[in-house]
């Protein structure tokens, strides 16, 4: 049987276009915060699934073998077969894929842990019932304890929370809304497992898990800026740039040169280059011409195939630019800039 979750993974392979390896996708699915993996996710539009399919090496190998056995994947080229391409193409697959929010996964996951544990704790105390925490997460437990110690009218606030969630759920719609609602644990009801939600929605458990991840991501996005629920995101960030790259960026803002940043940070040249590429990927404004001559920028754009982000062909064709410079130009092109 073909499941929507299969289509999502096939679409991830399709987006790589045979230009990256099996291992590259493995690191994306596991959310590895290395420069290469972040760039793969950015250039090949895999950020929604970044870290959303944690896999062991054995499980990943079994997964690829299964896709190959079913005639969906050509592993030698790491590209989809015609049958695999058909399964990755439906609108429902792309819709689910793009809603998953892998680029915000830590923000989403921590907010869910805080809110779900708060709801369970508050409701259980209101009804004087003992309970086992739905989240085995020490930081979330401590956060909720501190929150409940504040002098607030929690009953009124709970009504506000409920109202805000209802409005957001109406915006995102089913099946995403259903997957989110049934994961909550109260005083008398335990949140359903993905298997139980799958039974309700007539899908497999993995698809049900993806519906929840997508639904929760969309719910947080749908909340208005003044929503009281946003209090559960306190201290969290949706920053995509790594902490180390942000530190280098702060030095650049102070007027430090590349060499000065490298000396101050005591890092290798390649590491600072990776940080600069992150800046080019994520910043709205980036001084590209400080790193790549204007004429080379134009040449790189002209040489890039519209459907490819492969560096090597351009590097070999030009001969006078570095991979670092090509990556910088690619980053700005990916953001929609053009120089021709």
């Amino acid at each position: 049987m073909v499941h929507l979750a299969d289509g999502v993974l096939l679409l991830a392979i399709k987006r790589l276009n045979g230009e990256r390896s099996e291992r590259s996708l493995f690191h994306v699915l596991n959310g590895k915060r290395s420069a290469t993996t972040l760039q793969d996710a950015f250039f090949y539009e895999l950020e929604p699934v970044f870290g959303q399919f944690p896999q062991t090496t054995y499980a990943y190998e079994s997964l690829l073998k299964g896709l190959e056995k079913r005639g969906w994947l050509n592993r030698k080229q790491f590209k989809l077969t015609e049958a695999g391409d058909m399964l990755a193409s439906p609108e429902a697959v792309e819709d689910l894929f793009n809603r998953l929010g892998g680029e915000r996964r830590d923000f989403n996951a921590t907010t869910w842990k805080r809110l779900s544990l708060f709801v369970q704790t508050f409701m259980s105390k209101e009804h004087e019932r003992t309970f086992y925490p739905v989240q085995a997460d020490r930081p979330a437990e401590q956060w909720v304890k501190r929150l409940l110690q504040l002098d607030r009218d929690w009953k009124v606030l709970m009504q506000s929370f409920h109202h805000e969630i209802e409005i957001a759920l109406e915006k995102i719609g089913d099946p995403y809304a259903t997957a989110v609602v049934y994961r909550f644990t109260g005083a008398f009801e335990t949140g359903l497992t993905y298997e139980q939600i799958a039974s309700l929605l007539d899908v497999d458990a993995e698809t049900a898990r993806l519906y929840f991840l997508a639904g929760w991501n969309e719910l947080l996005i749908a909340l208005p800026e003044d929503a009281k629920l946003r209090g559960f995101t306190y201290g969290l960030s949706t920053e995509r740039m790594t902490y180390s790259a942000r530190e280098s960026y702060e030095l650049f803002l102070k007027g430090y040169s590349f060499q000065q940043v490298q000396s101050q940070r005591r890092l290798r040249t390649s590491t600072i280059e990776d940080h600069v590429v992150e800046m080019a990927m994520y910043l709205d404004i980036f001084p590209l011409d400080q790193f790549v001559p204007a004429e080379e920028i134009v040449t790189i754009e002209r040489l890039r195939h519209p459907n490819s982000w492969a560096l090597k062909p351009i590097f070999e064709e030009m001969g006078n630019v570095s991979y670092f410079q090509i990556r910088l130009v690619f980053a700005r092109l990916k953001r929609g800039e053009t120089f021709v």
Side-chain angles (χ1 to χ4, degrees):
M1 184 176 179
V2 180
H3 300 297
L4 202 55
D6 295 325
V8 169
L9 286 169
L10 290 171
L11 181 54
I13 296 172
K14 180 179 181 178
R15 290 189 176 184
L16 286 173
N17 198 31
E19 295 181 356
R20 303 297 292 149
S21 67
E22 294 178 355
R23 184 56 47 179
S24 299
L25 180 60
F26 175 77
H27 292 317
V28 169
L29 296 179
N30 277 292
K32 184 178 181 181
R33 300 282 288 177
S34 69
T36 299
T37 303
L38 289 171
Q39 290 164 34
D40 285 342
F42 177 80
F43 287 120
Y44 293 98
E45 299 180 7
L46 297 178
E47 289 181 325
V49 297
F50 188 82
Q52 301 292 51
F53 290 83
Q55 304 271 332
T56 63
T57 303
Y58 176 79
Y60 184 62
E61 175 63 25
S62 299
L63 171 67
L64 295 184
K65 282 183 177 179
L67 297 179
E68 183 181 41
K69 187 175 181 180
R70 297 170 86 172
W72 300 341
L73 174 65
N74 179 333
R75 290 192 66 179
K76 287 184 179 180
Q77 297 179 334
F78 199 48
K79 297 182 75 171
L80 300 185
T81 62
E82 186 176 346
D85 188 74
M86 288 179 63
L87 295 174
S89 299
E91 187 177 323
V93 171
E94 188 158 354
D95 182 65
L96 176 55
F97 187 109
N98 291 333
R99 290 173 182 255
L100 287 171
E103 67 275 21
R104 295 159 44 95
R105 75 191 192 289
D106 294 333
F107 175 87
N108 291 351
T110 302
T111 305
W112 169 254
K113 288 175 182 178
R114 289 175 174 181
L115 179 60
S116 59
L117 184 57
F118 173 84
V119 170
Q120 181 195 26
T121 304
F122 178 80
M123 296 302 292
S124 297
K125 286 187 175 182
E126 280 292 291
H127 294 89
E128 298 181 343
R129 291 177 64 88
T130 58
F131 66 97
Y132 292 101
V134 69
Q135 299 291 346
D137 185 271
R138 187 64 177 166
E141 288 181 15
Q142 293 175 333
W143 196 90
V144 170
K145 283 181 180 178
R146 289 194 297 268
L147 186 65
L148 287 170
Q149 289 170 357
L150 299 176
D151 185 19
R152 301 280 175 82
D153 188 341
W154 290 113
K155 285 187 178 181
V156 172
L157 281 171
M158 276 293 288
Q159 291 174 354
S160 296
F161 297 156
H162 186 267
H163 180 63
E164 290 173 354
I165 289 175
E166 277 191 330
I167 293 175
L169 289 173
E170 287 178 6
K171 289 181 180 179
I172 66 176
D174 278 329
Y176 306 106
T178 295
V180 171
V181 167
Y182 282 103
R183 286 294 288 167
F184 277 104
T185 293
F188 300 97
E189 310 85 13
T190 301
L192 300 188
T193 64
Y194 292 126
E195 288 77 9
Q196 291 170 323
I197 293 174
S199 180
L200 282 176
L201 298 175
D202 194 26
V203 295
D204 64 298
E206 181 67 350
T207 298
R209 183 182 75 86
L210 298 185
Y211 278 151
F212 167 74
L213 292 176
W216 182 242
N217 179 57
E218 291 290 307
L219 184 148
L220 291 178
I221 292 172
L223 289 176
E225 287 300 315
D226 61 350
K228 291 181 171 58
L229 271 173
R230 289 203 176 275
F232 287 89
T233 69
Y234 179 78
L236 305 179
S237 172
T238 57
E239 171 74 75
R240 293 155 72 195
M241 193 181 294
T242 59
Y243 180 77
S244 186
R246 171 61 63 175
E247 285 192 321
S248 294
Y249 174 52
E250 296 295 338
L251 291 176
F252 278 113
L253 284 179
K254 293 178 180 178
Y256 284 55
S257 67
F258 186 100
Q259 290 71 25
Q260 288 172 326
V261 172
Q262 182 181 353
S263 176
Q264 181 81 6
R265 304 271 342 258
R266 297 182 181 179
L267 296 172
R268 293 178 300 178
T269 299
S270 60
T271 302
I272 302 300
E273 287 181 348
D274 287 336
H275 292 171
V276 176
V277 173
E278 279 195 57
M279 296 172 208
M281 286 160 52
Y282 301 135
L283 296 177
D284 291 334
I285 300 174
F286 179 81
L288 181 60
D289 56 1
Q290 289 187 20
F291 298 92
V292 191
E295 61 274 15
E296 308 298 358
I297 295 174
V298 171
T299 303
I300 291 171
E301 180 174 359
R302 283 177 172 160
L303 288 176
R304 187 185 81 85
H305 187 280
N307 298 319
S308 173
W309 295 105
L311 303 170
K312 190 175 181 181
I314 294 176
F315 178 78
E316 293 179 341
E317 177 77 17
M318 295 186 67
N320 61 332
V321 295
S322 65
Y323 279 109
F324 167 56
Q325 290 173 312
I326 299 171
R327 284 186 294 160
L328 289 178
V329 177
F330 274 15
R332 300 317 291 181
L333 292 174
K334 186 64 180 176
R335 288 186 60 91
E337 292 185 14
T338 184
F339 309 96
V340 175

